[in-house]
Amino acid sequence: MATTVIPDQGSTGGRTTVTLTGHHLANATAVHFAAAPAIITANTDTSLTVTTPAGSGAAPVTVTTPGGTGTLGYFYYSPFPALTGISPAAGPVSGSDQEIVITGRNLAGAIDVYFGSTRAVIQTVSDTQVTVRAAESPAPGGVTVTVTTPGGSTDGLAYTYLSPSAVTGVSPSTGPTTGGTEVTITGAGLAHTDHVTFNGIQASFAVISDTTLTTTSPPSGTEGTVDVTVTGPGGTPAGSFTYVSEPDI
């Protein structure tokens, strides 16, 4: 049996449960991670279960039995992670393929990311950044973001799952091709709107509430009915607006 240290990474603060395997380990009297003693919680002839002490860096793991002292491998201490930001901080309750960037410190080797009880899909990891995709959530609402690394688990950020947005009204629904019509859009899930477009042309807008926003129609080169699309993390619902020419004088 080869000697192993599983897991071979953990927090600098200690308290990681580690299983050591090897030969002739019965009646072990001490386990050290570098110079610091670990707490032995289980012992057989081929394995030891211990709780790590605090430490740093790469620590040789030694076991002392009545037959002597031997080195079983190394344990690598990782600093405790910290989170500083998340962008975007909201998305649809159905999940999304949009990349979500979580920033912080000591994130290298991230093992898990959870949005509430929902496990996110990790895409990339560095020491200062983890990118994920949000999986489907059982319900809309704000949840805590938790990141687990070899150094421990940390939270402190929030992500909001949004119900699908909807457009139920565009008023007035008619205006001149020269643009400039003040339009009120009503619906649901509009608070996180990112863009409003008339036939693909960006329009200025202001969010009044989750059910109301105001916008100004941009100029149009032609008459006719066009889509008024509201884009946000809750989806891209659309209403309609009809451009008409002003009368000639």
Side-chain angles (χ1 to χ4, degrees):
M1 179 190 296
T3 59
T4 60
V5 179
I6 301 175
D8 65 356
Q9 300 180 72
S11 171
T12 54
R15 299 184 181 180
T16 300
T17 299
V18 173
T19 298
L20 312 174
T21 60
H23 304 281
H24 313 303
L25 303 179
N27 302 312
T29 56
V31 175
H32 285 82
F33 285 62
I39 299 172
I40 300 173
T41 58
N43 185 194
T44 70
D45 189 57
T46 57
S47 72
L48 281 162
T49 302
V50 301
T51 302
T52 62
S56 62
V61 181
T62 59
V63 177
T64 300
T65 71
T69 298
T71 300
L72 269 66
Y74 280 82
F75 184 84
Y76 301 91
Y77 283 99
S78 300
F80 195 77
L83 305 181
T84 57
I86 182 170
S87 179
V93 72
S94 59
S96 173
D97 287 334
Q98 181 181 19
E99 185 178 85
I100 300 168
V101 179
I102 299 169
T103 54
R105 301 184 302 277
N106 307 322
L107 303 180
I111 302 163
D112 278 318
V113 176
Y114 277 87
F115 288 8
S117 61
T118 302
R119 191 178 192 179
V121 180
I122 296 176
Q123 302 292 293
T124 63
V125 176
S126 72
D127 194 55
T128 58
Q129 182 173 293
V130 179
T131 61
V132 301
R133 288 189 293 108
E136 181 179 359
S137 173
V143 296
T144 298
V145 177
T146 304
V147 176
T148 299
T149 74
S153 295
T154 188
D155 51 29
L157 298 178
Y159 183 84
T160 302
Y161 279 104
L162 303 173
S163 297
S165 53
V167 171
T168 56
V170 177
S171 180
S173 59
T174 303
T177 55
T178 53
T181 302
E182 297 294 327
V183 175
T184 298
I185 299 174
T186 54
L190 305 180
H192 295 271
T193 296
D194 296 319
H195 306 287
V196 174
T197 60
F198 285 65
N199 199 31
I201 300 172
Q202 294 268 6
S204 60
F205 70 94
V207 173
I208 306 304
S209 69
D210 195 53
T211 60
T212 306
L213 59 82
T214 59
T215 185
T216 302
S217 65
S220 173
T222 59
E223 293 183 296
T225 300
V226 301
D227 285 338
V228 181
T229 303
V230 177
T231 301
T236 55
S240 62
F241 183 84
T242 301
Y243 282 102
V244 296
S245 295
E246 293 182 307
D248 294 328
I249 298 177

